Amino acid sequence: MPDNYAFRTYVWLSILLIHIVAGCAQQGSLEGPLFENVTDTVGLNDVEAVRVAFADLNADGLPDVVTGFTRVFMNESGARFQPSTGPVVPTARGPNVVQFGDVNNDGQLDLYYGRYTEQIDQDSADDGLRSEIWLGDGRGGFVKRPDSGVGEPPESTVAACFVDYDLDGNLDLFTGNAYVAYGKSYEAFPDRLFRGKGDGTFEDVTAKAGLLGSAEPGNRDSRKPTYGVAHTDWNNDGLQDLLVATYGRQWNRLWRNNGDDTFTDVAEQVGFDGDADRSGVHPPEIDREDEKPFRANGNTFDTAVADFDNDGDMDCFLAEITHWWAGSSSDLSTMLVNQGPSRGFTFHRDPDRIARHHAAERWNQGDLHAGWLDIDNDGYLDLLISSSDYPDEQILRLYHQEADGTFEEWTDRLGFHWMNATQISLADFDRDGATDILIGTNNMRLTEEQIQAHDLSVGLFRNVAAARTRNRFVNIRLLGQAIGARVTVVTGRHRQIREVHGGLGHAGHRDDTDCRFGLGRARSIDVVEIRWPDADHTTQTFRNVAANRFYVLRKADKLETVPARACAPARAGAG
């Protein structure tokens, strides 16, 4: 980290005290809107973008905002965003996906700039532009890394995540590629795994890792059109596995990390590939041939990974695009509940866990993104679903999890109505202990009348609900290479897990990498356990940890708190 990290950390922690004390003074019942639209007041007015992301680009502890993959707004004290003055990535045929990670281990976030190469068939001209790595300068600017190794071969890249699959301390890159010729065949490019060397350059290890697949469509080992990628430790063995969200109603993939630099697809065995109905049958009134089994599952865009039921293993919500006319030939968005070690970490598909109601007989469901957050800091994760691309009420929806594990739709309590919601990103931008929402929008497939009435601006919505509860929180930020780390917090009989993720789904979906926990009424935490993503699976355990604190921790540091009055922040470790 930079030499002045500790100083800057103390500065923003001092600011936190003001926010948190103010939040404590407002505690009460959970009434009124859950969020406040602060887009204009923080300086993001008149910004239009489909893609958005939170990312702390100057390592000051405050998440900055990136919109449209090309515009950067720096977070000033959690109250205002200012356009970056640093060198920026050029906008000439910009990327189709971006992802952030520290690829050269200098403490600053760098940028993967992924392109869907135009030369998809013989009729297309090659513009010569390729995917690239851009190194962060710590001020919100980026400089291209020559010969990074991620630009060849030219393929249809639409998704990416950073992950340390081999636990060597250097970030690796997993990219998802779509069709070879969209609309002309089912053939797809292979997904790519690039092993990071720690200096901003990468080696293509796709074939060595067993991920190359066969070119012929329709088989289990066929290359499939990927629209989203993610990683998680699906089977609790300390290794990061790779999740692949597949388009074209083809089977999803779950690549199990074998621990020897190779992967095995176990999606079929564990129920990740698709639902049990492989008939491919359309409704009787639809004059279409039934689909073959390999074309009878999902159009999956996002893979929202979390231990939502607090049972110690990672579950997943799959966000799907589907339509009324597809019938059983297409999967609906669904919750995948991990059954744990006693059942081989198989997934139970529970499509009714999140109730969806379609007012019209001929409906579309355009779920592009999904994300987990604890709206009211009650210790139970809630689910956001961002839907777009169709004219029939595609909006941002919220489902609140009750203590018994059921979900109640709270969309009408959000405090705003966001039509044709696209990419979402979650972070506590103002550091008041509550998770906020950044969201983009578009007008794809809307009617002309809807387009005229539709505002394309991005939205930033501040969580005001958590401050009205008596619930407490803890925020833990891990320094150094922490992608893949797992943080466990125990209060009484309540156990929660968070993983640090380097990418979550379609087109670079990314949330802030801080681990936030709602603690309910608990005044302190019995146990905090941190498992680091290294070859030794280094684990640190801390007991009797104070609530309503922001902690910053580097591996092997001691967890230290600064005595302060109620709700005052404290700091752990040396920056």
Side-chain angles (χ1 to χ4, degrees):
M1 301 300 292
D3 292 339
N4 65 342
Y5 180 81
F7 172 75
R8 286 185 290 160
T9 300
Y10 279 115
V11 170
W12 69 257
L13 283 174
S14 298
I15 296 165
L16 305 183
L17 176 59
I18 298 172
H19 287 298
I20 298 169
V21 169
C24 288
Q26 299 172 26
Q27 290 176 352
S29 62
L30 188 59
E31 298 293 338
L34 304 174
F35 290 87
E36 173 191 6
N37 188 345
V38 296
T39 311
D40 293 348
T41 58
V42 300
L44 296 177
N45 49 302
D46 300 324
V47 178
E48 296 185 358
V50 175
R51 311 296 183 199
V52 296
F54 279 118
D56 184 2
L57 301 179
N58 58 355
D60 65 351
L62 295 168
D64 308 301
V65 165
V66 181
T67 67
F69 293 160
T70 56
R71 298 186 68 183
V72 174
F73 298 86
M74 305 304 292
N75 190 335
E76 294 188 348
S77 306
R80 184 108 183 139
F81 291 87
Q82 295 289 352
S84 169
T85 58
V88 297
V89 182
T91 58
R93 198 172 79 73
N96 297 86
V97 53
V98 300
Q99 197 53 265
F100 298 92
D102 182 6
V103 300
N104 60 351
N105 295 316
D106 68 349
Q108 307 294 346
L109 286 181
D110 309 304
L111 178 67
Y112 169 68
Y113 198 77
R115 284 190 170 101
Y116 191 115
T117 301
E118 293 294 334
Q119 190 182 16
I120 301 305
D121 55 52
Q122 294 180 350
D123 298 329
S124 300
D126 186 357
D127 59 12
L129 297 177
R130 300 290 185 265
S131 299
E132 301 162 343
I133 292 291
W134 289 69
L135 302 179
D137 64 2
R139 303 188 308 275
F142 298 90
V143 178
K144 184 179 177 180
R145 176 61 162 94
D147 302 318
S148 65
V150 303
E152 298 293 341
E155 292 171 333
S156 51
T157 304
V158 295
C161 67
F162 282 112
V163 58
D164 185 3
Y165 77 90
D166 54 0
L167 301 178
D168 67 351
N170 299 321
L171 281 184
D172 312 305
L173 177 67
F174 183 51
T175 64
N177 293 309
Y179 291 108
V180 170
Y182 184 90
K184 298 181 179 180
S185 81
Y186 295 136
E187 184 181 355
F189 287 111
D191 298 331
R192 295 284 173 184
L193 181 64
F194 298 94
R195 182 178 181 272
K197 300 178 183 179
D199 60 357
T201 65
F202 293 81
E203 172 193 5
D204 186 345
V205 296
T206 306
K208 293 179 183 178
L211 302 175
L212 196 58
S214 64
E216 181 183 358
N219 302 314
R220 278 287 171 181
D221 66 344
S222 298
R223 301 164 185 169
K224 301 172 180 63
T226 296
Y227 271 36
V229 296
H231 65 90
T232 188
D233 181 4
W234 144 77
N235 58 353
N236 290 353
D237 64 354
L239 301 170
Q240 291 295 302
D241 310 296
L242 304 176
L243 309 180
V244 177
T246 302
Y247 186 71
R249 289 187 273 176
Q250 297 196 43
W251 296 308
N252 293 325
R253 288 187 136 147
L254 196 166
W255 291 104
R256 182 188 66 206
N257 190 333
N258 298 322
D260 59 0
D261 296 338
T262 68
F263 293 80
T264 301
D265 184 11
V266 297
E268 183 179 15
Q269 295 94 301
V270 304
F272 188 79
D273 58 341
D275 68 18
D277 189 340
R278 310 294 165 89
S279 66
V281 175
H282 294 93
E285 64 270 29
I286 300 301
D287 185 19
R288 294 181 61 152
E289 291 186 9
D290 293 341
E291 299 288 353
K292 295 180 179 180
F294 85 96
R295 280 267 302 161
N297 287 114
N299 291 311
T300 313
F301 278 72
D302 211 343
T303 51
V305 177
D307 180 17
F308 83 91
D309 53 4
N310 295 330
D311 66 350
D313 48 50
M314 304 307 290
D315 313 296
C316 184
F317 180 82
L318 296 181
E320 312 269 2
I321 281 185
T322 190
H323 314 279
W324 70 275
W325 53 259
S328 61
S329 72
S330 185
D331 292 356
L332 295 170
S333 298
T334 190
M335 192 81 77
L336 271 59
V337 184
N338 195 324
Q339 300 297 287
S342 65
R343 299 185 181 179
F345 296 98
T346 56
F347 288 107
H348 167 63
R349 286 181 167 256
D350 190 356
D352 297 326
R353 182 73 68 115
I354 303 297
R356 303 297 290 275
H357 304 287
H358 302 292
E361 180 181 351
R362 300 191 171 197
W363 51 266
N364 301 287
Q365 187 171 287
D367 296 350
L368 299 182
H369 297 282
W372 294 98
L373 70 165
D374 188 348
I375 291 288
D376 49 358
N377 286 338
D378 64 352
Y380 299 95
L381 286 171
D382 312 306
L383 181 66
L384 276 176
I385 302 176
S386 181
S387 305
S388 183
D389 283 15
Y390 300 99
D392 51 345
E393 195 65 6
Q394 305 296 315
I395 61 174
L396 183 72
R397 290 179 168 87
L398 170 65
Y399 295 84
H400 180 265
Q401 183 178 183
E402 307 299 319
D404 62 0
T406 60
F407 286 81
E408 178 183 347
E409 184 166 4
W410 277 18
T411 302
D412 59 354
R413 301 186 61 183
L414 279 169
F416 62 95
H417 181 88
W418 200 259
M419 182 178 176
N420 257 32
T422 53
Q423 198 164 55
I424 54 176
S425 188
L426 306 175
D428 180 5
F429 84 91
D430 57 353
R431 291 308 198 229
D432 63 353
T435 304
D436 310 304
I437 301 171
L438 179 67
I439 187 167
T441 187
N442 70 13
N443 55 17
M444 192 172 187
R445 297 192 180 96
L446 295 183
T447 66
E448 286 299 323
E449 183 180 1
Q450 287 174 323
I451 290 174
Q452 293 298 320
H454 187 48
D455 185 357
L456 290 177
S457 298
V458 304
L460 179 58
F461 294 91
R462 178 176 178 264
N463 184 328
V464 295
R468 293 200 297 266
T469 73
R470 294 184 173 87
N471 296 328
R472 297 177 175 83
F473 72 94
V474 69
N475 190 106
I476 298 173
R477 186 179 214 212
L478 303 181
L479 304 181
Q481 200 318 79
I483 298 296
R486 179 174 286 194
V487 180
T488 302
V489 164
V490 180
T491 52
R493 301 175 64 181
H494 197 65
R495 178 184 296 266
Q496 302 180 67
I497 289 175
R498 302 286 187 270
E499 278 187 337
V500 181
H501 291 126
L504 297 165
H506 182 61
H509 176 187
R510 182 187 194 277
D511 297 334
D512 186 36
T513 54
D514 284 16
C515 296
R516 278 180 301 281
F517 299 83
L519 303 177
R521 301 299 177 86
R523 294 181 177 275
S524 65
I525 303 162
D526 298 327
V527 178
V528 172
E529 180 181 278
I530 299 169
R531 189 190 72 190
W532 292 87
D534 59 24
D536 296 327
H537 303 302
T538 300
T539 301
Q540 294 173 269
T541 302
F542 308 97
R543 301 183 185 279
N544 300 320
V545 177
N548 281 359
R549 300 288 194 273
F550 287 75
Y551 293 101
V552 182
L553 179 69
R554 190 184 296 276
K555 185 168 64 176
D557 278 358
K558 294 181 179 179
L559 193 68
E560 300 173 353
T561 60
V562 178
R565 54 183 165 167
C567 292
R571 179 178 181 275

